[in-house]
Amino acid sequence: MNGVMDAFADGAIVAKRNLIKIKRVPEVLVFILLSPIMFVLLFAYVFGGSIAVPGVDYREFLIPGIFAQTVIFGATFTGAGLAEDIQKGVIDRFRSLPMSRSAVLVGRTGSDIVYNVLSILVMASTGLLVGWRIRTSLTEALAGFLVLLLFAYAISWVMAYVGLLIPSVEVINNASFMVIFPLTFIANTFVPLENLGVLRPIAEWNPVSSVTQAARELFGNTNPAVPPPEVWPLQNPVLYTLIWVAIILAVFVPLAVAQYKRAASR
């Protein structure tokens, strides 16, 4: 028990170090704040008039999808940050300190939560300005944001493993874009599933679709008269998302910790 508490205490210090880094690299904060605004305005005003969603205003349909895409992209900070720390020898310096071995990973993934909370606040404010509304209770709305953050946190551990496995910031950024971009577009994030044609079966079982659908339902951005698709993941989107979160954490937390030990011993 003491080991777990030490890991979290040391991880909090590492997370603080990652957040303080924003002062020295302010462009990171600019990207965090401006990127979601750009996506909201781009899709709301450029594509909003050409995409029809039965019974729902497109902007209300859109914002939860942008939430999902942005927090998933925000998870890439973990991979890029760890790769940079390995390249600069920061990990070796951490090894010389009397701290938990898992604290670096706990702190790095924890700081991603702060980044994603900032992104969600900016997106929510921008969404309200362009016409998005939360039509459920405060409890349900908070649950919607929590589901988004939990899924993003799980993806952070995937990126932590990748960042330790391939300690190159350039490769991590390119690889993340090549994987996450199609993953978030072959989903119900920006268009209804009916518009995806032969890709629809993939989108229906894509966990990005379920986290988006969960957010829409919890925010009240769906049409109650239109039943969800007849596939289990989208009829039970919150449960399906939580199952994916549990699977990802169960697989990638041990993998990332083991890879960290190997990376730190090189």
Side-chain angles (χ1 to χ4, degrees):
M1 186 65 179
N2 288 337
V4 175
M5 295 302 295
D6 289 343
F8 278 104
D10 294 340
I13 295 173
V14 175
K16 182 179 179 181
R17 170 252 180 189
N18 295 333
L19 295 174
I20 290 175
K21 186 180 178 182
I22 292 178
K23 293 181 179 179
R24 293 186 287 107
V25 192
E27 57 267 24
V28 173
L29 185 61
V30 172
F31 175 81
I32 292 171
L33 298 180
L34 293 185
S35 177
I37 295 175
M38 178 191 70
F39 274 107
V40 170
L41 296 179
L42 177 66
F43 279 90
Y45 290 108
V46 177
F47 299 110
S50 59
I51 300 175
V53 182
V56 180
D57 182 83
Y58 179 70
R59 293 175 186 177
E60 294 203 0
F61 176 89
L62 167 72
I63 300 302
I66 295 183
F67 281 159
Q69 185 198 51
T70 304
V71 297
I72 293 171
F73 268 109
T76 61
F77 283 113
T78 288
L82 286 171
E84 182 182 24
D85 285 345
I86 291 176
Q87 286 180 334
K88 294 182 176 180
V90 175
I91 297 297
D92 291 330
R93 291 196 288 273
F94 281 144
R95 288 183 62 210
S96 65
L97 300 175
M99 62 188 296
S100 171
R101 286 293 182 91
S102 59
V104 173
L105 299 178
V106 171
R108 176 59 68 175
T109 55
S111 61
D112 269 3
I113 296 176
V114 178
Y115 292 148
N116 281 326
V117 168
L118 290 174
S119 294
I120 284 177
L121 289 174
V122 172
M123 282 186 292
S125 301
T126 308
L128 290 171
L129 291 175
V130 301
W132 172 68
R133 295 293 182 268
I134 295 175
R135 303 189 182 278
T136 53
S137 67
L138 176 62
T139 302
E140 290 174 300
L142 291 175
F145 290 125
L146 181 60
V147 168
L148 289 164
L149 291 172
L150 282 174
F151 188 76
Y153 181 71
I155 300 298
S156 292
W157 281 96
V158 177
M159 298 310 303
Y161 175 68
V162 174
L164 293 168
L165 189 66
I166 311 171
S168 168
V169 178
E170 294 77 12
V171 174
I172 292 295
N173 288 333
N174 291 333
S176 299
F177 183 84
M178 291 175 62
V179 173
I180 294 177
F181 199 75
L183 188 67
T184 56
F185 271 83
I186 305 177
N188 62 353
T189 44
F190 303 114
V191 297
L193 292 173
E194 295 77 12
N195 294 23
L196 294 175
V198 296
L199 296 175
R200 178 172 177 171
I202 299 174
E204 289 175 337
W205 290 87
N206 183 348
V208 178
S209 291
S210 68
V211 72
T212 303
Q213 182 70 15
R216 286 191 181 119
E217 291 183 1
L218 290 167
F219 295 147
N221 299 144
T222 58
N223 184 357
V226 178
E230 295 182 356
V231 289
W232 189 87
L234 298 183
Q235 291 179 340
N236 305 274
V238 175
L239 179 58
Y240 186 67
T241 299
L242 294 178
I243 289 173
W244 266 102
V245 169
I247 291 173
I248 292 171
L249 291 177
V251 172
F252 283 96
V253 169
L255 284 176
V257 172
Q259 185 61 34
Y260 174 78
K261 292 178 179 177
R262 286 193 290 270
S265 64
R266 287 202 292 263

